[in-house]
Structures are given as C-alpha cells and as structure tokens.
Amino acid sequence: MARLALLSVSNKTGLIDLARSLVEEFAFDIISSGGTAKALKDAGIPVTKVSDYTGSPEILGGRVKTLHPRIHGGILARRDEPQDITDLENNQIRPIDLVVVNLYPFEETIAKPGVTLAEAVEQIDIGGPAMLRASSKNFAHLTVLCDPAQYDEYLQELRQNNGEASLEFRQKAALKGFLHTASYDQAIASYLAGTPQHTLSGTELQSLRYGENPHQSAAWYQTGTIPTGWAAAKKLQGKELSYNNLVDLEAARRIIAEFTDTPAATIIKHTNPCGTALGDTIVEAYQKAFNADSTSAFGGIVALNRPIDAATASELTKTFLECVVAPDCDAEAQKILSKKTNVRVLTLADLSSGPKTLVKQIAGGFLVQAADDIVADTSKWQVVTELQPTADQLGELLFAWKVCKHVKSNAIVLTSDRTTLGVGAGQMNRVGSAKIALEQAGDKAKGAILASDGFFPFDDTIRAAAAAGITAIVQPGGSLRDQDSIKAANELGLVMVLTGVRHFLH
C-alpha cells in the first residue's frame, strides 16, 4: 500500500512542488482539508479530502475537520506495537507517514490595526496544534513538517535514504514542531492577557562558534514564527556572525534608530559607541563618526541609517571592521566591499523596530523590563540656568542626549557639530567617566556640549567641564544637591538643561 501524507497548511508557500514530488517521485497518497485540498486539486495533484477519508463532514464552519480517530489514530500509531496495528486494522485506519501542518495566522491577524477580539479568536488554530503535537510525539514512526523551509531538506532525505527520512531528521523536525506550538500558544496567551506572558522559547537559527569567550557555547534563536529583526537581515558577505557580533549589532541598531531624519552613522565597540555622527550625506556621517575615535574604530561594528553607496563603501574599506549594517547596499558598493572578504556586510530594511521588552536571566529566574524607547521631547526639558541655550545648542544637546542614552552607565558624552568627541562609559563614578570623555576630546572640548545619563550629586563634574571649555550640559536632574550644580553652572557661565528622564544602561 502507498504511504499516506496529510497536508493541511495555512501558509501554502512551496506546497504544490512538495506535493507533486511526494506523488510523482515517492508514490504517496495525499489527504488534505479545506483550502489546501482545493489548491492541490487546482494544480492537478491527486488528493482525497479529509472529510471523504474520515466519513465525517467538516462542521461548525470548519472549526472541526481533522479531529477524528482516523486522523489521530493514523498519526499516533506505533508501528512496532502489535496492538496498535491491530487497532488500525479493526478501525480501517491507515498509518500516516508524513504530516505537513502550519497554523492559522494568529500573530499576523492581531498585528492588523483595529482587529477585534472575535476576529482574533477565530484565528486560534485547534486541529493544527493537535496534529503537530501528536505527530511530533510519534517522531519515531513518522515525519512532521511545520515550515516550508523544511520541504527541500525532507525531499533530499528521501532521495538519499531510499525513500525514508532518518530518525535524526524526524527528531529534529519534531523539536521544531513543539517549539512552533509553544510559540503559538505564548502569542495567544499574551494577547488574551493583555500583557506579555513571558516564557523563553525560540527556534534555533544556528549554533555559534562560541559565546563571549571560546570556552562558552552559544546559539542564536529566533522568537516567533515570522523572522523579524536580525533573523530577517540579509548577509551579503563575510564570515559567520559571532555571539559578540550580534550583541554589538543590536547595540548599534538601538543607537541608529534614534536618528531617522538625517544621515547618521555609529561605530560600536563592546556595545558602546566610540563614534556617532550626523551628516548631510551618509559618507560624511561615517567619516565624522570614524574620525571621532579612529583608534577605537579599528575592529568596530558600523551601523548606517541610509543605504551604502560607492563613496561610503570606499571609506569603509580603509580600516578593519567586523560588521557593517545598513538598510540597503547598491551594486557598486557591494563590488567595492567584496574586496574585504572577511567583513560581514548585512542589510536590514527596518533598523528602527526592536523588542518592546528586555529579558535578563538571574539565578532562579529572570527579569523583564520595558525597553527604554521613550522619545526625547525638548519641549518638556527645563532650562535651569540664567543662560539660555541657542537653537543650535538645543539641537546639539538633543543629539548628545540621544547618544548618551546608549552608553553604559555611568555615562558622559561630549559632542560638537553633531559628532561625538569623547565618551566615558561604565565607570564606577561619574567623575571618572567625565575625566575619560574630557581627556579624549582634548582641545576639541572648547565650545562643546556635555551629556550625562544620570544626575550630578556634586558640582565637581560641572567645574571640570567648564575648565575644559564645555558651554552647555544636559542631564536628568533629580539629585538632592541639584542646586549645587545649577549654582556652579551659573557661576561659570554654562547652560544647563534638565530632561527629567534618566537613562541608566546596565
């Protein structure tokens, strides 16, 4: 008797080619339901409707189709258990060798503006997850596929193993099935709760050579069923991405997402910006960011908010870089960058969208917080000094504040001409961070802006900044000793602005 495949998919990508190969190459019989059966029939592929196979019509407007003993008996039967085989024979049930299922588009539905609860509920799949779980459980005896990306690999398995899929492949496919249903249920639970229900789950995209250090194992996982963020990025060239590359790329994405209206470039080292700048063109922005700290830029991660053109590509090849990401890259730029074969060049059309919540594991559990994606609003800032900022100073203060938000606390950032001059990151006291930033800027600090991610408990940093030539300071305020800093700023002729928002980054 021919082997039996059950095909019931919402996403019909690759369906016809898979079904045709199953029938013509490997002599499968196919049963299918609803729109899948119609698509196969329209393509001229022999198919039996599930309702004809089970003898039970689809009911409740299609809510019940595959929930039937002839389906689940065929999926769950153990071929090496005599009683199971007897049960199949007594109930005229054929064993099912392949289950191809993907689920109703629940996440796509709830992402649509104005979707109602009733509309969302109708996109909660019941039969699909039941078949996925049943067939994943019984991977010892059949194969389950829940992603069109698996189809070619499965057919290759059949071609290389005399028409059989290996146990290793079946187990790997079963794991993907369980991860798929887990992610699906999490999305439903989060939607119905109205707040995220946090279960750490994902599908492994690839194992990584190692983690932060060679003795640490690591892997990259995709959350959700639809690739987004870095999982949706396209790598044009270069070596495989490492754990540290991905962490730094995300830090670069977060900074570059702050700037949409003007060409911007940032260069990241160890998740901190060593150079960030705006320009009239993307090549100018990159040149300014590179020149801000060319020593630290060596081996850096570059993010650009405009497509890479030939002029920018030529500049990028002048130093060693680990990764470059931009929304796009034109053909001439790709040709130029290809001379640096090891640099990883990625395109990610949407660099602005990131996770709404951030998760950090601790012993015995994990912490969840909302992403620090508040948009700076200068109309809510308070000028607390006698000296008022000019329009240009206010723009520079905003630029410095946006960069400072993405520097490890305690953070001090100096800027001028929409370019970072000095960055003090991650020191145990704010004076230490200021000293690093001021020393890095040197004489360029004269006339520059200083941003601090937290308040000043003492006026020592204000006095050090004034001595170096800083003209304006932006900080959140909120210290019991704010008046000391304000008094010093007035005494020394500085502008000081309080944002009322703190941006600690741990």
Side-chain angles (χ1 to χ4, degrees):
M1 182 182 292
R3 286 176 294 176
L4 186 61
L6 169 60
L7 278 57
S8 180
V9 294
S10 174
N11 178 0
K12 295 177 175 55
T13 302
L15 170 69
I16 302 305
D17 289 341
L18 171 66
R20 185 167 284 117
S21 293
L22 292 175
V23 171
E24 296 178 0
E25 278 191 72
F26 303 104
F28 273 84
D29 288 340
I30 294 178
I31 56 175
S32 189
S33 62
T36 306
K38 183 179 186 304
L40 295 174
K41 184 178 179 181
D42 290 346
I45 296 170
V47 59
T48 300
K49 293 182 67 175
V50 164
S51 57
D52 293 334
Y53 174 72
T54 63
S56 297
E58 295 184 8
I59 61 173
L60 307 181
R63 280 188 167 197
V64 178
K65 297 189 283 284
T66 57
L67 298 171
H68 193 281
R70 291 201 78 191
I71 297 299
H72 285 273
I75 291 173
L76 286 164
R78 294 159 291 189
R79 317 299 166 82
D80 55 0
E81 180 64 46
Q83 185 58 53
D84 285 9
I85 300 303
T86 299
D87 287 343
L88 292 183
E89 292 171 351
N90 290 342
N91 292 279
Q92 297 181 313
I93 298 173
R94 290 177 62 179
I96 296 175
D97 291 278
L98 172 66
V99 175
V100 182
V101 177
N102 53 59
L103 308 179
Y104 292 171
F106 180 81
E107 289 179 275
E108 295 93 322
T109 299
I110 62 174
K112 296 175 182 176
V115 67
T116 66
L117 176 61
E119 290 169 335
V121 166
E122 284 309 308
Q123 291 302 318
I124 298 176
D125 203 330
I126 302 300
M131 288 188 290
L132 266 181
R133 288 178 58 80
S135 49
S136 295
K137 174 178 179 176
N138 206 29
F139 69 84
H141 302 284
L142 80 162
T143 304
V144 57
L145 306 177
C146 62
D147 184 345
Q150 297 172 291
Y151 297 171
D152 286 342
E153 187 179 0
Y154 172 69
L155 292 173
Q156 287 302 315
E157 279 280 314
L158 298 187
R159 290 167 185 144
Q160 293 169 7
N161 298 296
N162 297 317
E164 300 289 339
S166 66
L167 178 61
E168 180 184 12
F169 177 85
R170 298 198 305 271
Q171 183 170 348
K172 182 174 71 171
L175 172 61
K176 191 174 182 72
F178 282 123
L179 290 170
H180 190 33
T181 56
S183 176
Y184 193 76
D185 285 342
Q186 181 182 342
I188 295 168
S190 295
Y191 174 77
L192 293 177
T195 57
Q197 304 299 297
H198 291 284
T199 301
L200 293 177
S201 66
T203 303
E204 184 176 331
L205 289 180
Q206 66 182 77
S207 59
L208 303 172
R209 286 179 60 200
Y210 52 80
E212 288 177 317
N213 298 290
H215 60 275
Q216 295 172 265
S217 61
W220 178 10
Y221 288 82
Q222 172 190 317
T223 56
T225 57
I226 304 169
T228 59
W230 297 109
K234 181 179 180 182
K235 185 159 76 74
L236 303 181
Q237 67 169 61
K239 298 184 291 185
E240 288 298 319
L241 291 165
S242 71
Y243 178 94
N244 289 335
N245 289 157
L246 288 161
V247 171
D248 283 336
L249 280 166
E250 177 60 10
R253 186 202 63 75
R254 289 175 183 169
I255 292 183
I256 214 68
E258 296 281 354
F259 307 104
T260 56
D261 298 334
T262 305
T266 190
I267 306 173
I268 296 292
K269 287 293 287 291
H270 308 297
T271 73
N272 283 304
C274 57
T276 302
L278 307 183
D280 292 331
T281 63
I282 195 63
V283 66
E284 180 189 10
Y286 171 71
Q287 287 171 328
K288 289 169 68 176
F290 177 81
N291 291 331
D293 187 355
S294 58
T295 300
S296 297
F298 183 85
I301 306 287
V302 174
L304 310 169
N305 70 347
R306 295 290 188 273
I308 307 171
D309 54 22
T312 309
S314 296
E315 290 298 314
L316 291 167
T317 60
K318 291 180 180 180
T319 192
F320 167 65
L321 298 170
E322 286 280 352
C323 305
V324 178
V325 63
D328 204 351
C329 182
D330 70 33
E332 184 62 25
Q334 286 189 51
K335 183 178 179 181
I336 294 168
L337 290 167
S338 68
K339 298 172 184 176
K340 292 277 190 176
T341 56
N342 286 334
V343 65
R344 303 158 179 89
V345 179
L346 298 91
T347 58
L348 179 57
D350 183 8
L351 283 163
S352 62
S353 297
K356 294 300 181 184
T357 55
L358 303 176
V359 180
K360 184 170 289 188
Q361 289 188 277
I362 59 173
F366 56 90
L367 308 174
V368 180
Q369 67 169 343
D372 186 7
D373 56 7
I374 188 170
V375 177
D377 182 355
T378 57
S379 70
K380 296 180 180 179
W381 289 5
Q382 181 184 7
V383 180
V384 292
T385 49
E386 296 166 1
L387 198 60
Q388 300 290 302
T390 65
D392 185 65
Q393 277 182 320
L394 190 61
E396 192 72 46
L397 288 163
L398 178 60
F399 171 77
W401 183 243
K402 286 182 174 182
V403 177
C404 191
K405 173 181 175 182
H406 300 281
V407 177
K408 290 287 186 181
S409 188
N410 290 308
I412 297 289
V413 173
L414 273 58
T415 76
S416 179
D417 189 29
R418 310 311 192 261
T419 305
T420 55
L421 303 177
V423 178
Q427 298 305 298
M428 285 61 74
N429 62 78
R430 198 160 298 281
V431 176
S433 290
K435 182 178 180 182
I436 291 171
L438 290 166
E439 287 181 351
Q440 185 181 8
D443 289 340
K444 293 179 181 178
K446 291 183 174 63
I449 298 296
L450 183 149
S452 172
D453 68 338
F455 60 63
F456 299 108
F458 305 102
D459 66 4
D460 45 8
T461 300
I462 309 302
R463 295 187 180 280
I470 295 297
T471 60
I473 293 174
V474 58
Q475 55 124 331
S479 170
L480 293 174
R481 304 172 69 105
D482 273 349
Q483 285 304 316
D484 291 351
S485 295
I486 296 169
K487 180 181 177 182
N490 279 324
E491 175 191 327
L492 299 165
L494 301 182
V495 170
M496 182 176 286
V497 175
L498 305 186
T499 66
V501 177
R502 190 184 75 184
H503 285 304
F504 280 179
L505 178 61
H506 280 71

